[in-house]
Amino acid sequence: MTKLDDFLKQVFAFLLRKLGEQVDRETALRVARRVLEDMHLGTRETSWASARPVTIRTAKRRELMGAAIRISGHVAQLHDPEVISVPEADGTWTDAETTCVEIEDHAGGRVWALDVMGPGLIDAIQQIHEQHAVAEFLGVMLLLPARISSRRPETVSGDNRREFVFQVLGVRPSESAFDLLGASQEEREQASELLDSLQRSSVSPRDHLVARAVEGLGIVGLEELHVLRATIDFAVLQALGTGRVGNSPANLHGLIIGPPGHGKKLPLLAAQALNPTAEVLSSSKCTPAGLVGASYRTDAGWRSTPGAIPRSAHGVLLMQDAHGWAHNDTRRMAPILQSVMEDGTVHDSVAGGRSWLAPVATLIDLNRTVHIDPRSSAPEAALLRVLPLLSRMDAIFEIPADVERAWGMAARTYDGLSNGSAPPLQLPWVRQARLLVAELRHTIPSVSTESVRSLMRAAHTQLFERNRSLLMGSPTEATALPMRFAVSFARLVSASARADGRSEAQPQDVDVALQFLSSKLEFMKLHGLNRSEQPANFRQKREDFVRRHAGTVIDPSDMATKYEHETGEAVSEKTIRRDLAQLGASRVGKSAYLLPDAGTEPTGS
C-alpha cells in the first residue's frame, strides 16, 4: 500500500530536480501539492500480484495512468545518488538519498522514473544497471509538468506541456520470456491453452514450431536439402536452450556455412522469429565494442553503453556474413564469444569498464572464399581458422553448393511471393510462436538427464573411438574438445526434451543431440583439426615472402603486418626476426634489418 506522504516526497524530489536552486523549497512543495490535487490519486494498492505486465508504449495510455503496472527491461541510464531535503508530514525536513533512472524495455521504449528514494531500492537498481541484467520494475505511470517556468513555478502547465514519468515502487531481476515479451495475462493463458492442446493431440511443440516457421517464412526444399531442415530444427532448440548445464550456460551456439542463394539466412530468420529477444549484426558492426559495448569517462565517473550481446540477453545474437570479418577483428572477438559460450558473461576492454551478464545464444553465417570469388587465391574466412572457437560451437552446418537445386528451390518460391503483405517477422504467427516458447521455458525451467546419462556416456566413448586417429593426431585442440563436447551434449539433450514438452530427457533426445554433434565432428575432421601438413607449408610461404624483400631495410613489425594483410595468416614479429636471422640479415637500427641481396649466402643457421 503506497502512502500519500511517500508519493508526495517522490513528486517533490522530481520537481526539485527540475527547478534546481532557482526557487525555494516551500515553492517546490506548493507545486508538488498542486500536482497531487490535480491527479486525484489518493492511495492505491500496488503489488506485484495486482500489477499488469505492459510495455512502456502501452503504459502511456490514459486508462493506465496511476494504475499498478510491471515493466520488463533494463536500466538505460542511472544518475549518481545525491542527498536532498524532503518534507515530512509534520512540516519538518529530512535528508534522503535520491537518484534518477531511465528504463528501457525490449520494444525500445524509454521512460524516466521519478527520483528513486530509499537505499534498498537504489542499491537494487544499481546492481541491475552494473550487470545490465533484465529486470521487472513495479510502479505507476504518471503525467507531470515537464517544463515548469522558473519565473512562475507555482503555475501547473497543461497536458500539452507534461511528460510521462514512472514512479518506481519495486524492482526484481527477471529471466522470464513472458516478461521479455511484455505478455499480457490473456496472452499467457492462450499460450498455456495452446501447449495443452498440442499435448492432448500428441503433437510435439518442436514440430509445431518448425511447421510455423517453415510456413510463415515460406521455406521450401527441406525434403531435398536435409541440412537446411537441420538448421531450422536447431533454431527451435536454440530458442528453448535456457538455464545452465553444470557451470556453463545452456544456450546453444551454431555456425552455418554455405554459398549465396542456398538458404543459410533462413535459420537466422527462424531464430529471430522464435526468441523473445534478438539482435542482428552485419559484418561491419561486428567489432569488440559492437559486441560488448563502449565505456567512457564522464565528470560523474565511468559510463557504459551495452553492445549487442547484453542487449540480446535471454535471446539470440545473429551475426551475418562473418566472411567479412577482418583477421585482426576476428582475433579480438574470438575471446569475447568464447566467454559467452563458456561463462555467460562479457567484459568491457577498458579499465573502468564493466561486466555484463550474457546468457545469449549465437548463430553465425558465412560464405567460403570460393563462394564469393571462385578465382580468388585469398585464404579462407578468418573465423574458420580459429579452432578454439569452432570447437566450442554446439553445431556446425555446411550447405553444399548445388546450382540445379538452387534454381529448383527458387522456382518453388513463386507461389509464396505477394505484394503488399507485412514483413514476415511482423505477422501474428511470430507472436504466437514466441509465446509458446515462453510457455515452454516457464513450465519446464529445468530438464533432468538422469535417466539417459549412461547412454550419453556410452555415446561419448563411442564417438572418441570412431574418431581416435583424428583426435590423437591433434593433441593441442583435442585435449580441450572432450569437455566442450560433453557440455554441448547436455545442452542439446536438455533443449530437445523441452522442445517436446518434457522435463525429463529420453533416449530420442540423445539421438537428436548425436546428429548435431556427429556433423560437427565430421566438419572438424575435414576442415578443422586435420592440419598436420600446414606448419611446413606455412613456414615456407612465409620465408619466401620475406626473401622477396632482398636488398632492402626491413622493420619486422611492418613486415608482420604486411604479411598478414596479404595472406590473411597471422605471424608474430618474433617469428619474422627469426626468419631474417636465417636469411643473413644484419641489424642497422633499433628495429631495422638489412636483408642481403638475392644470391648472397645466408649467414644464419
Side-chain angles (χ1 to χ4, degrees):
M1 183 78 68
T2 60
K3 296 180 180 178
L4 193 58
D5 337 353
D6 292 338
F7 177 68
L8 179 60
K9 291 178 186 178
Q10 295 275 4
V11 176
F12 176 81
F14 172 80
L15 294 175
L16 198 60
R17 265 192 201 278
K18 288 283 184 182
L19 299 174
E21 297 179 355
Q22 300 177 41
V23 296
D24 59 75
R25 293 172 181 167
E26 292 301 328
T27 303
L29 181 56
R30 193 162 56 249
V31 175
R33 286 175 175 150
R34 175 76 179 276
V35 170
L36 191 62
E37 292 168 2
D38 239 19
M39 300 187 68
H40 306 294
L41 280 179
T43 51
R44 292 175 179 270
E45 180 182 354
T46 47
S47 65
W48 290 106
S50 63
R52 174 179 172 181
V54 294
T55 63
I56 290 174
R57 182 179 179 181
T58 303
K60 292 180 178 180
R61 295 175 182 169
R62 286 191 173 273
E63 63 267 23
L64 289 178
M65 290 298 100
I69 57 174
R70 303 196 323 249
I71 295 174
S72 177
H74 62 269
V75 177
Q77 294 187 57
L78 180 68
H79 289 174
D80 288 338
E82 61 182 77
V83 176
I84 65 169
S85 296
V86 295
E88 296 290 351
D90 59 4
T92 61
W93 295 82
T94 305
D95 288 342
E97 192 176 28
T98 176
T99 190
C100 203
V101 58
E102 186 182 29
I103 299 168
E104 180 178 13
D105 66 16
H106 294 282
R110 290 195 177 207
V111 65
W112 280 99
L114 281 181
D115 291 49
V116 178
M117 303 180 69
L121 192 55
I122 291 174
D123 290 345
I125 290 178
Q126 282 181 323
Q127 183 177 4
I128 288 168
H129 181 52
E130 288 169 1
Q131 298 180 335
H132 197 74
V134 178
E136 266 196 301
F137 299 88
L138 171 68
V140 292
M141 193 71 76
L142 307 170
L143 269 174
L144 293 182
R147 292 178 289 275
I148 300 174
S149 169
S150 59
R151 295 181 181 178
R152 299 184 61 197
E154 70 280 0
T155 303
V156 177
S157 306
D159 285 348
N160 62 331
R161 296 180 61 81
R162 296 188 178 193
E163 70 178 7
F164 288 97
V165 293
F166 184 62
Q167 183 197 6
V168 180
L169 301 173
V171 61
R172 62 186 183 187
S174 174
E175 298 181 3
S176 166
F178 280 129
D179 292 340
L180 296 176
L181 293 169
S184 65
Q185 187 60 37
E186 182 181 1
E187 287 180 318
R188 298 177 188 223
E189 292 171 358
Q190 290 173 352
S192 178
E193 291 171 0
L194 174 58
L195 181 57
D196 289 343
S197 174
L198 292 174
Q199 291 174 336
R200 286 195 303 269
S201 57
S202 300
V203 175
S204 164
R206 181 210 321 254
D207 293 339
H208 174 81
L209 290 169
V210 169
R212 296 307 301 268
V214 170
E215 180 184 357
L217 298 174
I219 302 174
V220 298
L222 298 184
E223 301 83 3
E224 299 89 353
L225 192 55
H226 297 294
V227 66
L228 183 57
R229 167 61 192 247
T231 63
I232 305 300
D233 286 338
F234 184 74
V236 172
L237 295 186
Q238 268 196 319
L240 295 169
T242 184
R244 298 191 71 82
V245 170
N247 295 321
S248 300
N251 307 91
L252 290 164
H253 308 275
L255 174 67
I256 303 173
I257 306 160
H262 280 59
K264 67 180 181 298
K265 291 290 190 297
L266 294 173
L268 274 71
L269 280 173
Q272 193 176 357
L274 297 171
N275 278 271
T277 61
E279 287 284 329
V280 183
L281 286 185
S282 63
S283 61
S284 62
K285 299 294 184 181
C286 282
T287 63
L291 291 177
V292 180
S295 291
Y296 51 94
R297 187 184 290 278
T298 67
D299 293 339
W302 283 95
R303 292 282 185 261
S304 295
T305 55
I309 291 174
R311 291 198 306 269
S312 53
H314 306 292
V316 63
L317 174 61
L318 308 169
M319 290 171 277
Q320 297 181 328
D321 301 324
H323 51 268
W325 297 1
H327 180 83
N328 283 340
D329 283 342
T330 304
R331 187 169 54 188
R332 292 163 57 208
M333 287 190 293
I336 295 172
L337 295 174
Q338 290 166 204
S339 180
V340 171
M341 296 174 182
E342 289 192 345
D343 306 320
T345 58
V346 289
H347 313 276
D348 278 352
S349 59
V350 297
R354 68 168 49 158
S355 298
W356 307 92
L357 292 179
V360 176
T362 60
L363 193 57
I364 306 173
D365 80 70
L366 58 80
N367 302 129
R368 289 191 174 277
T369 301
V370 69
H371 297 155
I372 303 170
D373 185 357
R375 299 165 296 179
S376 174
S377 58
E380 195 55 270
L383 180 64
L384 296 180
R385 290 174 280 139
V386 185
L387 286 182
L389 187 57
L390 293 179
S391 67
R392 287 173 172 84
M393 290 289 177
D394 300 298
I396 301 176
F397 308 94
E398 182 150 18
I399 302 174
D402 188 322
V403 176
E404 184 175 352
R405 183 175 59 236
W407 276 92
M409 290 173 62
R412 293 170 58 184
T413 63
Y414 283 95
D415 293 338
L417 296 178
S418 60
N419 186 25
S421 62
L425 295 181
Q426 295 181 14
L427 295 176
W429 73 269
V430 174
R431 181 72 176 177
Q432 295 165 2
R434 289 172 178 168
L435 290 169
L436 178 57
V437 166
E439 176 66 15
L440 288 165
R441 287 191 186 185
H442 175 71
T443 57
I444 309 174
S446 62
V447 172
S448 171
T449 59
E450 186 174 356
S451 62
V452 296
R453 286 175 188 168
S454 59
L455 285 177
M456 294 172 68
R457 190 177 297 110
H460 184 105
T461 304
Q462 189 177 30
L463 275 175
F464 171 73
E465 293 299 333
R466 287 179 180 174
N467 296 275
R468 176 181 285 272
S469 59
L470 162 70
L471 299 173
M472 297 301 290
S474 181
T476 302
E477 186 59 30
T479 54
L481 190 60
M483 187 54 67
R484 295 169 189 169
F485 179 90
V487 170
S488 292
F489 207 164
R491 286 172 174 169
L492 289 162
V493 167
S494 298
S496 175
R498 188 177 287 109
D500 283 338
R502 290 181 276 102
S503 59
E504 186 166 338
Q506 295 182 3
Q508 58 263 40
D509 301 314
V510 176
D511 293 338
V512 169
L514 284 174
Q515 292 175 17
F516 293 112
L517 294 173
S518 298
S519 297
K520 170 184 169 178
L521 280 177
E522 187 64 24
F523 173 87
M524 299 192 73
K525 179 178 180 180
L526 295 175
H527 306 290
L529 292 172
N530 191 15
R531 298 184 177 188
S532 58
E533 297 181 359
Q534 186 180 19
N537 295 337
F538 175 70
R539 183 170 56 253
Q540 184 62 49
K541 183 166 60 174
R542 190 186 66 242
E543 290 177 354
D544 290 343
F545 175 85
V546 176
R547 191 178 286 109
R548 292 207 310 264
H549 296 77
T552 62
V553 175
I554 294 173
D555 182 319
S557 177
D558 291 343
M559 182 64 65
T561 302
K562 290 177 182 178
Y563 180 81
E564 185 172 339
H565 178 74
E566 181 174 315
T567 67
E569 294 171 341
V571 63
S572 68
E573 180 181 339
K574 182 179 179 181
T575 300
I576 295 293
R577 290 180 187 273
R578 185 176 65 243
D579 292 340
L580 290 170
Q582 291 175 344
L583 293 172
S586 57
R587 190 166 182 172
V588 295
K590 184 177 180 181
S591 60
Y593 291 78
L594 175 61
L595 195 63
D597 291 333
T600 303
E601 189 70 23
T603 58
S605 57

